[in-house]
Amino acid sequence: LKKMGVSPRAFVWTHAQHGTMNGYLEAAREGAWISIDNVKDRKDRIDWFVKTLTELKKHEVLDHVLISHDAGWYDVGEPNGGDYRGYAAIFRVLIPELKKHGFTKDDIDLLLIENPAKAYALNIRKL
């Protein structure tokens, strides 16, 4: 992106949950958005999100993080479209767990309101 004159702030790294902490930190410090997706109502997934988001907060890059359920899924080959996964795990499970681990209302608003508004705003983002 930089070689083409585009700011890393124009890049949203989706499905970043497959990345590494070092990769997240490097990308965020360059200005890119880190979208960690696939929040599920499963203890192992919630624990991973809490650990990862806590680490990103500790490194002061929470202002470059997006989260999503990446849910819904419809499979035309399955009866009734297959197993539908809803869009409630962030609100029912993840947020309460984050609060137990010291996340404030401001932190939650940053993740759910402020960051998406900035990341997906229509802007020209040149170097």
Side-chain angles (χ1 to χ4, degrees), residues 61-80:
V61 296
L62 204 60
D63 62 338
H64 281 80
V65 175
L66 304 164
I67 60 174
S68 84
H69 291 102
D70 197 21
W73 304 111
Y74 180 85
D75 185 340
V76 296
E78 295 289 324
N80 296 319

Side-chain angles (χ1 to χ4, degrees), residues 46-47 50 92-103:
I46 296 300
D47 290 348
V50 169
R92 286 192 204 157
V93 186
L94 181 58
I95 290 172
E97 282 300 312
L98 289 173
K99 288 179 178 178
K100 287 180 191 174
H101 288 83
F103 278 65

Side-chain angles (χ1 to χ4, degrees), residues 1-8 30 127:
L1 291 173
K2 284 182 175 181
K3 288 179 184 176
M4 297 179 74
V6 178
S7 170
E30 288 286 329
L127 288 175

Side-chain angles (χ1 to χ4, degrees):
L1 291 173
K2 284 182 175 181
K3 288 179 184 176
M4 297 179 74
V6 178
S7 170
R9 293 176 295 143
F11 181 70
V12 178
W13 176 9
T14 59
H15 300 288
Q17 69 271 14
H18 302 295
T20 65
M21 184 56 63
N22 285 339
Y24 301 154
L25 297 176
E26 182 180 349
R29 289 177 179 146
E30 288 286 329
W33 294 96
I34 312 307
S35 182
I36 51 177
D37 310 315
N38 206 16
V39 175
K40 291 182 180 178
D41 188 0
R42 281 189 1 217
K43 182 166 178 20
D44 64 322
R45 293 300 302 150
I46 296 300
D47 290 348
W48 182 88
F49 270 89
V50 169
K51 177 184 172 195
T52 301
L53 291 169
T54 299
E55 189 73 10
L56 291 167
K57 179 180 174 182
K58 181 179 107 181
H59 286 282
E60 300 180 348
V61 296
L62 204 60
D63 62 338
H64 281 80
V65 175
L66 304 164
I67 60 174
S68 84
H69 291 102
D70 197 21
W73 304 111
Y74 180 85
D75 185 340
V76 296
E78 295 289 324
N80 296 319
D83 293 329
Y84 176 81
R85 186 162 48 91
Y87 296 91
I90 288 174
F91 304 101
R92 286 192 204 157
V93 186
L94 181 58
I95 290 172
E97 282 300 312
L98 289 173
K99 288 179 178 178
K100 287 180 191 174
H101 288 83
F103 278 65
T104 65
K105 180 182 182 321
D106 287 345
D107 295 329
I108 303 299
D109 287 350
L110 184 67
L111 288 169
L112 297 180
I113 300 169
E114 295 172 38
N115 288 353
K118 290 177 186 171
Y120 297 114
L122 296 178
N123 289 318
I124 295 174
R125 299 173 188 177
K126 293 181 180 180
L127 288 175

